[in-house]
Amino acid sequence: MRLNSPQINLIIRACMKASRSLIRDFGEIENLQVSSKGPGDFVTSADKRTEKILIEELQKAHPEYGIITEESGIINGTNNKNRWIIDPIDGTMNFLNGIPQFAISIGYEENGEIISGAIFNPIMNEMFCAEKGNGAYLNNSRIRVSNKKKINNALIVTGGPKASSKIKDKIFSEYVNVSKNVSNVRKYGSAALDMAYVACGRFDGYWQRELNYWDISAGVIILKEAGGFVDFFEEDINSPLKKNVLATNSNIHEELKALINKKDIE
Ligand code: IPD
Ligand code: CA
Ligand code: CA
C-alpha cells in the first residue's frame, strides 16, 4: 500500500486493534441468537467497546484533534480543524443477525474536507483505504470504479428507509423508479461498505437519504480517489451531519440523479 500519511497509518492501526475484540464479539452472536435474551444488549456493548478502543488509539497520538462519533457524539478538541469521524460498527443490523457485512469506518478531516479514511470489514479481512492524491486501495491493491457507461446495465445499491423515517413513500417511489431503469438494485445494509463497493467496481452506483456523516465520511475519499463521484443532495444547513448521498462511477451519475429526481413513476 502506498498510503503513508501519519493519519492513515494511525487509522489503519486503530482499526486493526479494535477489530480483534469485534471479531470475538461477532463469534458470540450465534450463541446469543438462540438464547432467550437475544443479542440486542450485547451488540450495544460491542459497539461501545469498539468505539472506546478507536478513540483511545486516536487520542493517544492526537489528543488535540476533535472527534465525531456515532455513540459518543461530538468530542471537541483544542484543535477542531482536524477531526476524526468514527462509526465503530456500520451495518449493526447485519452484525446483530450474524451476517458478515459490517465495517469499522473512520474518516479524517482537515478544515472541513475529508483527507483520508479507511473502511475495514474484519470478517472478510477487507481494508479499503484512501488518502487525498494517493489513490484508493483494497488491502494491497489499487482499486478503481467500474467502467460501465449505461445506466440500464448498472448494478445499484441503496439503503433505508429507517423505521422512523417520515419520508418512506418518497424513498419507496425512488426505489421503484430506479429499479425499473437499471439492471438491478441491492440493499446490503452497510452504507460504508456500499460506498467502498462502488469504489472497487462491485457496484456501479449508490444513493441513500437520511444518512449520518459518520456512515459515509471515509467512503467519500475512498470513492473519489478510486475515480468516482459523490454528491450530497437536498442538504439541510441546520443539520450538517445529516446527508443524502449519490455516489457513482462518474459515468452514470447524471442518469441516476435524473431517476431519483423524477417525481412520478413512469
Ligand atoms: C446504518 C447502515 C445502513 C443504513 C442506515 C445506517 P449503523 O448504520 O449504514 O446501511 O441504511 O441508514 O444508519 O446503524 O449500522 O451504524
Ligand atoms: Ca454504527
Ligand atoms: Ca452507520
Side-chain angles (χ1 to χ4, degrees):
M1 212 180 295
R2 265 170 249 129
L3 304 181
N4 50 24
S5 69
Q7 286 85 6
I8 194 72
N9 287 327
L10 207 55
I11 289 175
I12 292 171
R13 216 170 45 235
C15 281
M16 298 312 288
K17 182 157 188 199
S19 68
R20 291 199 279 274
S21 72
L22 196 54
I23 291 167
R24 274 197 304 275
D25 290 342
F26 187 65
E28 277 299 306
I29 294 284
E30 228 168 38
N31 303 331
L32 289 164
Q33 265 166 340
V34 293
S35 80
S36 55
K37 207 168 154 229
D41 291 347
F42 179 78
V43 170
T44 310
S45 42
D47 230 333
K48 296 218 164 91
R49 201 163 26 241
T50 309
E51 184 168 297
K52 187 163 172 277
I53 298 169
L54 295 173
I55 292 175
E56 271 168 15
E57 281 302 297
L58 296 171
Q59 274 186 334
K60 226 191 288 172
H62 287 290
E64 75 282 16
Y65 285 11
I67 302 181
I68 300 177
T69 77
E70 179 169 21
E71 303 300 322
S72 314
I74 295 177
I75 303 171
N76 280 314
T78 49
N79 168 13
N80 280 321
K81 285 183 182 157
N82 305 65
R83 295 200 294 193
W84 308 110
I85 325 289
I86 303 175
D87 193 343
I89 305 179
D90 184 68
T92 328
M93 187 70 95
N94 286 340
F95 184 88
L96 177 71
N97 285 278
I99 301 168
Q101 182 72 3
F102 60 88
I104 298 172
S105 174
I106 307 178
Y108 167 65
E109 193 194 74
E110 275 177 16
N111 298 314
E113 185 189 355
I114 304 286
I115 300 293
S116 57
I119 296 170
F120 183 48
N121 178 337
I123 309 302
M124 309 291 276
N125 197 24
E126 289 193 325
M127 173 75 77
F128 297 88
C129 53
E131 191 173 84
K132 190 176 176 187
N134 281 333
Y137 290 80
L138 165 52
N139 296 338
N140 291 313
S141 305
R142 186 85 189 249
I143 51 173
R144 271 204 69 76
V145 290
S146 74
N147 194 25
K148 223 167 274 174
K149 297 197 168 57
K150 292 209 167 110
I151 191 99
N152 55 342
N153 293 330
L155 182 60
I156 305 295
V157 64
T158 188
K162 291 188 169 98
S164 58
S165 174
K166 295 196 168 62
I167 53 162
K168 280 188 189 151
D169 287 344
K170 184 175 184 171
I171 291 173
F172 288 137
S173 87
E174 284 173 356
Y175 184 87
V176 172
N177 203 34
V178 173
S179 299
K180 282 182 172 173
N181 291 283
V182 302
S183 175
N184 223 316
V185 181
R186 298 274 185 271
K187 278 170 88 176
Y188 228 20
S190 160
L193 288 172
D194 293 342
M195 297 272 286
Y197 282 20
V198 178
C200 70
R202 292 177 185 168
F203 293 127
D204 306 303
Y206 166 62
W207 95 99
Q208 185 168 349
R209 289 179 182 268
E210 302 188 311
L211 288 165
N212 292 299
Y213 191 37
W214 49 81
D215 297 318
I216 44 84
S217 63
V220 167
I221 185 73
I222 294 170
L223 185 67
K224 280 187 186 166
E225 286 295 321
F229 197 75
V230 188
D231 237 355
F232 297 119
F233 58 99
E234 295 175 26
E235 292 214 83
D236 175 0
I237 50 164
N238 298 316
S239 311
L241 297 181
K242 297 277 172 214
K243 301 285 176 193
N244 300 318
V245 175
L246 173 60
T248 66
N249 69 357
S250 299
N251 296 334
I252 60 161
H253 203 83
E254 290 309 314
E255 285 174 294
L256 186 56
K257 190 187 266 182
L259 290 177
I260 291 162
N261 286 337
K262 210 179 269 181
K263 300 250 169 1
D264 298 317
I265 301 158
E266 285 172 348

